[in-house]
Amino acid sequence: MNNLIILPIVIPLLMGIILIFFNKNIKIQKWLSAIASLASVIVAVIIVQTVHTNGIQTLEIGNWVPPYGIVLVADMYAALLVLTTAIIGFTSLLFAFSSTTAEREKFYFYPGVQFLLLGVTGAFLTGDIFNLFVFFEVMLMSSYMLIVLGSSKNQLRESIKYILVNVISSALFVIAVAYLYALTGTLNMADLSVRIAEMGQSGLLTVIAILFLVIFGLKGAIFPLYFWLPGSYQAPPAVVTALFGALLTKVGVYSITRVFTLIFYHEPTFTHEILAWLSALTIIFGVIGAIAYWDIKKIVIYNIITAVGVILFGVAANTPNAIEGSVYYLVHDMIIKGALFFLVGAIVAITGTSNLRKFSGLIASHPLLGWMFFIAALALAGIPPLSGFVGKLKIVQGGFEAGEYTIAFVVLLSSLLVLYSVMKIFIHGFWGEPNKAAIAQTSPKGLLFPIAILLALSIAYGFGVEFLSPYISQAADTLLDPSIYIQAVLKE
């Protein structure tokens, strides 16, 4: 039992509550938020190293032995995502310090960010499927507040759609959990795996598995359930979009991965084949959207959808290379999406517009910003040796090993189209003659610092594959062999 693994949940919980009492003093809120987020990063690093050295760490809340009590579980997959979440949270706060208006800050922006991080981190660490629902709701309630903060007409319009979709998916989540409990008599994910293995994955359990795919697919934005995402993520300010794009959809992806590698893995010819083709369609429609638009925010938003498809194809292929590639690519995508949304926010701060047709020649006045965007674009597309390359290569390898040649080819082709979509921003927005929009305003220097942190991590992630490989392999081993997770939790 390890009390350390509750700290990434406790830190943002306590800090969110404390910040509410300092709502009149924005300066104190900023300092406290930054200290708490930095502490979360340090704790997450320690957890990753502890899991790597000593294996999966568990914490039985109230000393109730699983499966009767609530348990927190930090395997390497969850630990890596908790660390990445903490880094995104820290850099988002640094970006917010230079970009968020006082009108938004005074209406509990910083407590909202802390509660959002609490929900995301809790979802990664919980070993109980009902508590996964609880942490989802904490995350979503925080996101409801952040998406409407500022009360612009566009925000309010898109927030109605966003809230409606998530309320429906939450209702379905409760129904699915109730059916699963009625059939198995347990909510502990490790115990669910054991019970379903003993019972056999009947037709009714497979239907429940598909219902969970629909629920998490709505939250993770897979085809055809992504219709709400482009408008909803475009409405709020850049820092909120970065948090949403880097974290919220990834919780849906994590949940699909966890459920279909730990609980519903007995009928892969049905469940995993459906997931594979949904992933392919998600990739296709994501790149179509990214290519079609001339709004830089929408281009990056549609690339979220493409990445979700790529990651989930690795899960569906379910070979060692594919699963390992999926873990590599998920961590990479969280980092690089955060960087790209910060870059888009900086561009909008300079030009006053996100319409690519209305500005050009930015590199003349902002060369550092231009070359940062160029590096981020190459990393997003998976150009070697940057961070996206290894994950996508392993996913394609795994796809070929699983006999999914068509979808593996779609993943390969998507790299070229993703590169085209983001290089369109670089060519049309940074090259050419500087126009009035490109020189009308200057971006605060503080915006570039968090971008530099994430880009440095992305470059290190790409060049440091040999160092990271044992950690990623350990995460993949747990996903490929459910008995490792079950043994750590139930200790049978």
Side-chain angles (χ1 to χ4, degrees), residues 201-215:
Q201 191 171 314
S202 63
L204 186 53
L205 280 168
T206 302
V207 170
I208 293 171
I210 297 302
L211 181 55
F212 274 111
L213 180 58
V214 171
I215 294 159

Side-chain angles (χ1 to χ4, degrees), residues 239-305:
V239 66
V240 175
T241 304
L243 281 166
F244 286 11
L247 300 180
L248 297 200
T249 50
K250 305 311 181 294
V251 178
V253 170
Y254 165 83
S255 302
I256 291 172
T257 305
R258 182 66 79 193
V259 164
F260 282 89
T261 57
L262 179 63
I263 301 172
F264 301 112
Y265 62 90
H266 305 282
E267 295 290 339
T269 52
F270 185 75
T271 53
H272 288 57
E273 193 64 24
I274 289 174
L275 181 58
W277 284 104
L278 286 177
S279 301
L281 291 168
T282 304
I283 294 167
I284 290 166
F285 282 87
V287 293
I288 288 172
I291 291 167
Y293 282 96
W294 284 82
D295 183 291
I296 57 174
K297 216 170 184 182
K298 279 239 172 125
I299 291 169
V300 180
I301 287 168
Y302 271 97
N303 276 309
I304 295 173
I305 298 167

Side-chain angles (χ1 to χ4, degrees), residues 42 166 172 216 228 309 325 345 395 397-398 404 421 430 453 485 492:
I42 294 166
N166 280 294
L172 289 173
F216 298 138
W228 58 270
I395 288 170
Q397 276 183 309
E404 299 284 2
S421 71
F430 286 95
I453 292 173
Y485 186 98
E492 293 180 347

Side-chain angles (χ1 to χ4, degrees), residues 303-370:
N303 276 309
I304 295 173
I305 298 167
T306 305
V308 167
V310 172
I311 295 161
L312 290 179
F313 173 60
V315 177
N318 203 31
T319 65
N321 270 325
I323 293 290
E324 200 170 318
S326 183
V327 178
Y328 265 115
Y329 202 81
L330 178 54
V331 174
H332 143 79
D333 194 65
M334 291 171 76
I335 293 168
I336 208 64
K337 284 298 189 307
L340 278 167
F341 279 115
F342 292 160
L343 284 160
V344 167
I347 292 168
V348 172
I350 294 164
T351 63
T353 181
S354 61
N355 189 334
L356 194 52
R357 299 183 193 274
K358 293 184 178 179
F359 66 91
S360 63
L362 272 179
I363 205 158
S365 54
H366 299 84
L368 181 58
L369 181 68

